[in-house]
Amino acid sequence: MPAPFRVAQMDATVTMPPPTRPPAESNWPVFAATYGRAILDWFRQAELSPPQIESLVRDLMQWFGREFPQVSAEPSLKFRPWLQYAGHAAWCRLMESRVNAVGKDNATPEQNLLLSEASHDSFLKALEAECSHQRRREVLPRVQASADPTDWEVFYGVVLEGIPESDVAAQVQGTKRSVRAAVFRVYRTLEDELKRVEELF
C-alpha cells in the first residue's frame, strides 16, 4: 500500500512529466500532491471548518491509496475511467464511514455534504477537470516543440497568459485575425496530441 497521505504533500513540486504515463498517473507521491490539492480546493468551497476539510481530504486520499496500486500493476489500464471509478468508490466509502443512519434533521454540514448527490457529482467533475488539466500540462512541451515559433508565442500569450488579442497582435506585428488563426492552429495540434495520449492511457 502507498505511504500514508499527508495534507502537507499537496505543496510538493510536480516535476516535468516523462514521455510515458505522467507521474500523477504512475507515482503515488505525485498523484497525492496533484489530486490531493485539487480535492482540497474543492472541499474549501463547502461550509466546513479547516479541520473537517483536512480530515475529509486525508480519508479520501487513503481510500485512493488503496486503489492506486492497480494503476501500476496494469500499465494498459486507462487512467481517466479508473480515476472516476476510484473517486466514486472513495466517496462512497467515506460516506459509509461518516454517516450512520443519521436523519436529515440531525445531520451535520459534513454529513449533508456527503449525502448530497449534487456534491458527489460535483466532486467527480472536479477530478475530471484536474485530469484534463494534467493531460494538457503533459502534452504542452511536445506541442511547443512541433508548433511554429510565432504561433506558439501567440498561443502562449493569449491562452496561457491571458494577454488581450490586440496586444499580442501588436507584439508579433499581426492582426487579430492572424492571432486567432495562430491560436486555432496550436489548439488543433494540442487536441491531436491529447487524443493520442488518451489512446495510450
Side-chain angles (χ1 to χ4, degrees):
M1 180 177 173
F5 173 79
R6 298 181 179 84
V7 173
Q9 286 179 296
M10 289 179 287
D11 295 327
T13 301
V14 178
T15 57
M16 283 295 291
T20 55
R21 190 188 288 273
E25 297 182 9
S26 59
N27 179 280
W28 171 250
V30 181
F31 176 90
T34 301
Y35 286 90
R37 185 170 52 246
I39 292 170
L40 178 65
D41 289 343
W42 184 86
F43 271 110
R44 280 174 173 160
Q45 301 173 35
E47 296 180 0
L48 301 175
S49 68
Q52 284 177 310
I53 292 171
E54 289 203 5
S55 177
L56 287 167
V57 174
R58 187 178 296 108
D59 287 357
L60 268 172
M61 294 306 296
Q62 286 175 353
W63 287 113
F64 270 109
R66 296 183 186 188
E67 298 286 350
F68 193 80
Q70 183 184 11
V71 176
S72 300
E74 301 179 32
S76 62
L77 181 68
K78 301 289 185 182
F79 180 80
R80 193 184 294 271
W82 173 86
L83 183 65
Q84 289 294 299
Y85 158 77
H88 171 72
W91 183 275
C92 291
R93 288 164 181 164
L94 183 63
M95 183 177 68
E96 290 170 4
S97 69
R98 297 291 180 96
V99 181
N100 296 314
V102 61
K104 285 192 175 180
D105 293 338
N106 301 319
T108 65
E110 176 188 284
Q111 290 167 330
N112 280 327
L113 180 74
L114 294 173
L115 286 166
S116 167
E117 286 189 23
S119 294
H120 174 257
D121 292 343
S122 175
F123 172 74
L124 294 180
K125 286 178 181 176
L127 293 179
E128 172 69 20
E130 184 60 31
C131 184
S132 294
H133 175 68
Q134 292 301 316
R135 288 286 165 84
R136 281 173 169 76
R137 283 193 64 197
E138 158 72 4
V139 302
L140 276 176
R142 294 199 289 275
V143 172
Q144 179 182 5
S146 62
D148 176 84
T150 302
D151 284 357
W152 177 257
E153 181 182 354
V154 168
F155 177 84
Y156 189 90
V158 173
V159 177
L160 302 183
E161 293 194 328
I163 300 173
E165 290 179 349
S166 56
D167 292 352
V168 174
Q171 289 174 10
V172 298
Q173 299 181 340
T175 63
K176 283 188 177 181
R177 183 174 180 179
S178 67
V179 163
R180 289 171 188 158
V183 169
F184 173 78
R185 285 191 292 270
V186 177
Y187 257 129
R188 186 171 56 187
T189 303
L190 175 61
E191 292 305 315
D192 287 345
E193 187 62 26
L194 284 170
K195 184 178 178 182
R196 188 186 73 81
V197 170
E198 289 291 349
E199 290 172 352
L200 291 173
F201 306 121

